Amino acid sequence: MRVIKFGGTSVFHLDRVLEIVREYRSLGGLCVVVSAVQNTTDLLRQGNVAAVRTLYLEWAKQLRLDHVIHLFWDHVEKMLGMAVGDVDMRRDLLLSYGERFTAYIVDIAIH
C-alpha cells in the first residue's frame, strides 16, 4: 500500500491532487492523507473563525461543493456555543476541523 500526503497549500488545488491520486491508484492500494487548507489551524488558534468559514466557502465553491460546508459549519457553531463540557476536548475538536472537513471533501471528490 502506498501513502501519499498533501499539505494545506497543495490540497487547496484539488484538481492536481485528484490527478496524482488517479496516477497512484492505478498502481494498487492507496491511502490519502490531507492537511487542513492553508492556515486553517493558525486562524482557529487566533479565534478567527469567520476567516476560516470564508476560506472554506471559497474553496468549496470552486469545487461546486459549497452546499456541503453548511453540514460541518453547523457542527462548529454548536461547539463554539457550548457553555459546558471538557474545554480541552472542545478545543481539540475545533482545531481539528480543517483536517476533518478537508478529508471529507477530498473523499467526495475522489469518489
Side-chain angles (χ1 to χ4, degrees), residues 16-74:
R16 182 65 182 130
V17 169
L18 295 177
E19 283 179 34
I20 294 167
V21 167
R22 282 187 210 105
E23 288 174 27
Y24 278 95
R25 186 187 272 173
S26 67
L27 302 174
L30 180 64
C31 175
V32 178
V33 179
V34 294
S35 294
V37 170
Q38 308 170 334
N39 303 320
T40 300
T41 305
D42 291 337
L43 289 168
L44 289 170
R45 279 193 183 112
Q46 296 165 8
N48 198 345
V49 177
V52 173
R53 183 176 190 156
T54 301
L55 175 65
Y56 275 83
L57 273 171
E58 176 188 325
W59 186 57
K61 281 181 185 175
Q62 290 176 11
L63 306 172
R64 295 190 178 121
L65 296 170
D66 48 310
H67 61 283
V68 177
I69 198 169
H70 300 292
L71 300 173
F72 278 88
W73 202 256
D74 289 346

Side-chain angles (χ1 to χ4, degrees), residues 89-105:
M89 183 176 110
R90 190 172 55 185
R91 183 199 65 229
D92 291 346
L93 285 171
L94 183 63
L95 292 179
S96 67
Y97 168 79
E99 283 81 4
R100 291 182 291 123
F101 184 71
T102 301
Y104 182 72
I105 292 294

